[in-house]
């Protein structure tokens, strides 16, 4: 089934689909606590929802899906929880590689991946390499990602280029900035979804979400479903996006 047919089948207008969806996957811990389970169980269920969302977005013809999987601040969580998240990431990369290839999905990461364990970095490089020429969708995992770090990194790079005489300060434009962010070459998110009722951006894609439509749902990430995503997309299609202009 084509992505167009799939969108129409869900009552969506294929002409008005967001090209890039970003998601802050929050509430795994609370989902587990409500069930008297260890927080790790929430992350496990959360990883299943990640798999489902990748499939759904691909089917609907979304070009880029960016998921906030691990923030720079998440390193401060208890060692056992960080270990469990790394274990799930490892498992996800290994189990999904074939699925990404089968579904023509390119795998990419944003963030300080150099801080991840060596074996995960190697697996990331391998999956990136094997999916490099896929053009059905890009799955962008934010790993050890923080938007302020990304902005500082970009500023440092511009300063270095300027010092080396390669870039004049007068020549710095929005494109210069965009070209030095982790997301270079990608369109900005049209839609940002955060689960679990928190109304915050939490240092995610601060530059890129300038004109994104924001959606906050009370649903905890492990309970987030395809049906709710479709509802949010319907709501998105009813919104009028003016980008600072009058209609
Ligand atoms: C927030 O829940 C979620 C995270 C810190 C990480 C997201 C991780 C996953 C969805 C699972 C693993 C991901 C992949 C790609 C395999 P929280 O722990 O902050 O929840 P809480 O606010 O209820 O405590």
């Amino acid at each position: 089934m084509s992505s167009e047919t799939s969108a129409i089948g869900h009552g969506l207008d294929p002409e008005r689909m967001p090209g890039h969806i970003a998601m802050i996957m929050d509430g795994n811990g609370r989902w587990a606590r409500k069930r008297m389970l260890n927080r790790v169980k929430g992350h496990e269920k959360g990883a299943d929802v990640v798999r489902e969302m990748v499939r759904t977005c691909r089917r609907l013809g979304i070009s880029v899906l960016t998921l906030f999987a691990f923030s720079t601040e998440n390193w401060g969580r208890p060692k056992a929880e960080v270990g469990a998240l790394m274990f799930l990431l490892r498992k996800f990369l290994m189990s999904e590689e074939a699925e990404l290839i089968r579904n023509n999905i390119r795998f990419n990461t944003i963030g300080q991946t150099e801080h991840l364990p060596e074996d995960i970095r190697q697996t990331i490089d391998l999956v990136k390499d094997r999916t490099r020429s896929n053009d059905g969708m890009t799955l962008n995992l934010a790993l050890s990602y923080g938007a302020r770090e990304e902005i500082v990194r970009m500023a440092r790079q511009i300063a270095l280029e300027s010092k080396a005489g390669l870039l004049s300060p007068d020549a710095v434009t929005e494109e210069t900035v965009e070209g030095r962010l982790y997301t270079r070459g990608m369109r900005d998110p049209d839609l940002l979804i955060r689960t679990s009722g928190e109304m915050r951006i939490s240092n995610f894609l601060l530059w890129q979400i300038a004109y994104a439509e924001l959606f906050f749902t009370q649903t905890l990430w492990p309970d987030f479903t395809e049906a709710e995503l479709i509802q949010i997309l319907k709501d998105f299609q009813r919104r009028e996006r003016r980008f600072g202009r009058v209609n």
Side-chain angles (χ1 to χ4, degrees), residues 2-247:
S2 76
S3 53
E4 199 165 294
T5 320
S6 181
I8 294 169
H10 287 292
L12 292 162
D13 177 355
E15 302 289 317
R16 302 193 67 204
M17 294 296 276
H20 183 169
I21 303 182
M23 297 186 182
I24 303 178
M25 313 183 286
D26 197 11
N28 294 350
R30 275 162 284 168
W31 182 92
R33 197 168 58 226
K34 268 177 39 184
R35 289 162 180 78
M36 314 272 271
L37 296 169
N38 186 291
R39 294 176 56 80
V40 171
K41 290 281 168 209
H43 295 315
E44 278 173 22
K45 181 70 178 22
D48 293 341
V49 178
V50 168
R51 289 185 182 88
E52 189 189 340
M53 284 305 133
V54 172
R55 267 168 220 149
T56 301
C57 288
R58 169 71 181 99
R59 213 159 12 85
L60 291 171
I62 306 300
S63 301
V64 186
L65 173 64
T66 300
L67 301 174
F68 204 178
F70 196 86
S71 71
T72 45
E73 293 74 26
N74 287 155
W75 290 113
R77 293 197 175 198
K79 223 173 143 190
E81 187 172 340
V82 172
L85 284 166
M86 291 301 139
F87 172 82
L88 287 173
L89 178 58
R90 205 174 270 125
K91 195 168 140 194
F92 175 82
L93 291 168
M94 305 215 273
S95 68
E96 290 310 282
E97 186 191 326
E99 177 84 9
L100 296 175
I101 293 171
R102 197 166 37 248
N103 288 317
N104 194 20
I105 299 171
R106 186 170 79 94
F107 177 71
N108 188 54
T109 58
I110 57 172
Q112 294 176 294
T113 42
E114 64 275 17
H115 292 176
L116 296 169
E118 172 68 24
D119 70 299
I120 295 190
R121 268 161 37 206
Q122 282 177 7
T123 312
I124 285 175
D125 288 344
L126 208 76
V127 180
K128 274 187 188 171
D129 207 49
R130 290 184 178 154
T131 61
R132 195 172 299 279
S133 53
N134 292 353
D135 59 5
M137 181 176 94
T138 297
L139 169 63
N140 215 13
L141 273 197
L143 295 169
S144 195
Y145 174 85
R148 287 185 170 182
E149 185 278 324
E150 177 180 42
I151 289 168
V152 168
R153 185 175 168 272
M154 170 275 295
R156 192 175 292 143
Q157 205 172 315
I158 289 180
L160 280 171
E161 287 173 44
S162 181
K163 194 176 162 199
L166 299 169
L167 185 64
S168 144
D170 300 335
V172 175
T173 61
E174 290 192 8
E175 287 70 35
T176 319
V177 170
E178 276 158 9
R180 285 152 186 81
L181 297 175
Y182 291 120
T183 48
R184 70 186 153 274
M186 266 174 226
R187 55 184 292 157
D188 286 339
D190 302 287
L191 168 60
L192 171 74
I193 301 170
R194 181 172 189 147
T195 56
S196 94
E198 308 291 356
M199 310 266 265
R200 292 189 284 273
I201 300 300
S202 300
N203 202 15
F204 192 42
L205 303 175
L206 294 180
W207 168 278
Q208 297 89 337
I209 58 165
Y211 287 103
E213 294 294 327
L214 310 181
F215 282 79
F216 298 96
T217 166
Q218 294 294 327
T219 306
L220 303 174
W221 177 257
D223 288 329
F224 194 64
T225 58
E226 171 176 315
E228 185 166 6
L229 176 65
I230 305 282
Q231 279 313 312
I232 292 174
L233 289 170
K234 284 186 181 162
D235 198 336
F236 171 85
Q237 295 196 332
R238 282 192 292 270
R239 288 198 191 178
E240 186 195 358
R241 302 182 77 201
R242 289 195 298 273
F243 300 94
R245 296 184 290 266
V246 289
N247 209 10

